[in-house]
Amino acid sequence: MGVYDVGDEPDPRYTLANERTFLAWVRTTLALLAGSVALHSLGIPTADWLRNTLVVGLAVLGALMSALAYRRWAAVERAMRLREPLPRFGLGLVVTVALVLVSVLLAVTLVL
């Protein structure tokens, strides 16, 4: 069943705000993919195994983040239409932990 098939139409301002939030996550995903391509193209860090790990990790994080952002958009839209409490926000923690790990790996390789 589609998101728009349930409940009542919410105030358009809230629907549009939800959509802008989704698009902001998509922009962040594009930035992660661009960073992945840059690491691969520039050859940083110099250890091939580490560079490949970071490139694949950033690309997978971008794909996961995009899918989770869509899922969150749909859950929020559905909750607004059914006048239910909004779902918890777990995407921020996932992204924060992943980016901290990537940053630490990059910092360690650049120092060595």
Side-chain angles (χ1 to χ4, degrees):
M1 182 164 31
V3 173
Y4 298 112
D5 296 338
V6 298
D8 300 320
E9 184 75 24
D11 185 334
R13 293 174 291 181
Y14 300 126
T15 298
L16 292 172
N18 188 30
E19 184 178 322
R20 282 191 303 273
T21 303
F22 168 71
L23 293 173
W25 282 105
V26 170
R27 271 194 319 268
T28 304
T29 296
L30 289 172
L32 285 172
L33 294 175
S36 176
V37 169
L39 281 176
H40 181 68
S41 298
L42 296 175
I44 300 170
T46 54
D48 286 341
W49 68 270
L50 182 57
R51 181 177 53 249
N52 291 338
T53 301
L54 289 171
V55 166
V56 169
L58 285 172
V60 167
L61 177 61
L64 175 68
M65 209 166 86
S66 184
L68 290 175
Y70 179 79
R71 188 171 142 210
R72 172 141 176 98
W73 167 83
V76 168
E77 186 67 29
R78 185 176 182 81
M80 287 190 304
R81 289 175 167 277
L82 296 174
R83 301 196 191 295
E84 294 176 347
L86 296 179
R88 289 180 152 186
F89 179 66
L91 185 56
L93 180 62
V94 170
V95 173
T96 300
V97 169
L99 288 179
V100 165
L101 289 173
V102 167
S103 299
V104 167
L105 280 174
L106 274 172
V108 166
T109 53
L110 292 175
V111 169
L112 297 177

